[in-house]
Amino acid sequence: SSTTLPARRLQTLWYPAPGDDLEGRDGGDEETRFGLGEAQYLERFQVFPVDHGHKRQVQISIESANPMNARDDVYTIDVARDGCTAAKPLYDPLSHACVVNCGTGYYSNREVNRCSKCNTNCAVCSGLLRCELCRRDSTHFTYVVQADGSCLAVTISLVGEYYWWCVSVAIFVGFLLCVGLVFVLQCLCSCCCDCDGGGYDGESEGDVEESERLLG
């Protein structure tokens, strides 16, 4: 990435007057020369990344702003960044440090000596196209490892999403039905027993008269 920020600087320059004592000034020798008046210039800079163990070459072109004394020149700068050591050979982009093992969602890329990110929806992998474990299922999606080493996100249906809720409600309703059925059977048995007992204990008028005749 690059950023250019214009900022104006105002610098006061001067010539030493004849007879001035330059010994009390920093760098105050007679070979030091300054321009008279004020000079304005733009300060520019750019920011760019340099990966671990890599280098970049930067060229800076400078031109004089004075048309009467037009000069230009090009400066070449080699910028290098040290790589990780043998004790910790992998660079982790999350912690911005050298590590031994990569974290979840990253694998050890020995070709560039860094932790590279796994494929989409993959939690554990040994390569970009070698996923071993998908991420945890969410509320609306379940993730399945495919034959090509990727992870497929499958949308969960409404029934599948609330599967255990449906099972719990079905068990509760079945329990209520069983209790109600037992209660109804108990009531029917009680009514039948009451009817049979009344017929056995009761005596008709003929039976009473026959009993009195036999006793008399």
Side-chain angles (χ1 to χ4, degrees), residues 60-67 69-75:
I60 302 176
S61 178
I62 300 177
E63 297 181 0
S64 175
N66 186 359
N69 189 17
R71 292 184 300 174
D72 59 354
D73 204 345
V74 177
Y75 295 88

Side-chain angles (χ1 to χ4, degrees), residues 141-154:
F141 293 96
T142 181
Y143 302 95
V144 183
V145 179
Q146 301 299 301
D148 59 355
S150 62
C151 280
L152 177 63
V154 181

Side-chain angles (χ1 to χ4, degrees), residues 47-212:
V47 179
F48 54 89
V50 178
D51 203 0
H52 265 252
H54 291 75
K55 64 180 181 180
R56 295 188 65 174
Q57 189 176 81
V58 181
Q59 290 186 344
I60 302 176
S61 178
I62 300 177
E63 297 181 0
S64 175
N66 186 359
M68 303 299 297
N69 189 17
R71 292 184 300 174
D72 59 354
D73 204 345
V74 177
Y75 295 88
T76 302
I77 302 175
D78 291 327
V79 181
R81 187 176 182 182
D82 295 335
C84 295
T85 62
K88 296 181 178 180
L90 301 173
Y91 176 73
D92 185 9
L94 295 179
S95 61
H96 302 286
C98 295
V99 296
V100 178
N101 298 315
C102 300
T104 303
Y106 288 81
Y107 68 95
S108 301
N109 192 344
R110 299 292 179 177
E111 295 181 359
V112 293
N113 293 328
R114 66 181 294 124
C115 295
S116 299
K117 194 172 183 179
C118 295
N119 210 339
T120 306
N121 300 325
C122 184
V124 179
C125 66
S126 57
L128 182 61
L129 299 178
R130 295 189 298 272
C131 185
E132 300 175 1
L133 180 65
C134 295
R135 59 180 294 186
R136 295 181 60 183
D137 295 342
S138 61
T139 305
H140 303 287
F141 293 96
T142 181
Y143 302 95
V144 183
V145 179
Q146 301 299 301
D148 59 355
S150 62
C151 280
L152 177 63
V154 181
T155 305
I156 300 176
S157 61
L158 184 63
V159 176
E161 184 175 353
Y162 298 100
Y163 174 77
W164 291 110
W165 285 93
C166 297
V167 171
S168 301
V169 171
I171 292 175
F172 181 71
V173 172
F175 176 74
L176 292 180
L177 291 176
C178 291
V179 172
L181 182 60
V182 169
F183 179 76
V184 171
L185 292 175
Q186 185 177 4
C187 292
L188 292 176
C189 291
S190 299
C191 292
C192 292
C193 290
D194 290 342
C195 293
D196 293 340
Y200 177 80
D201 294 336
E203 295 182 354
S204 62
E205 294 181 357
D207 293 337
V208 173
E209 292 178 356
E210 183 66 22
S211 299
E212 290 179 351

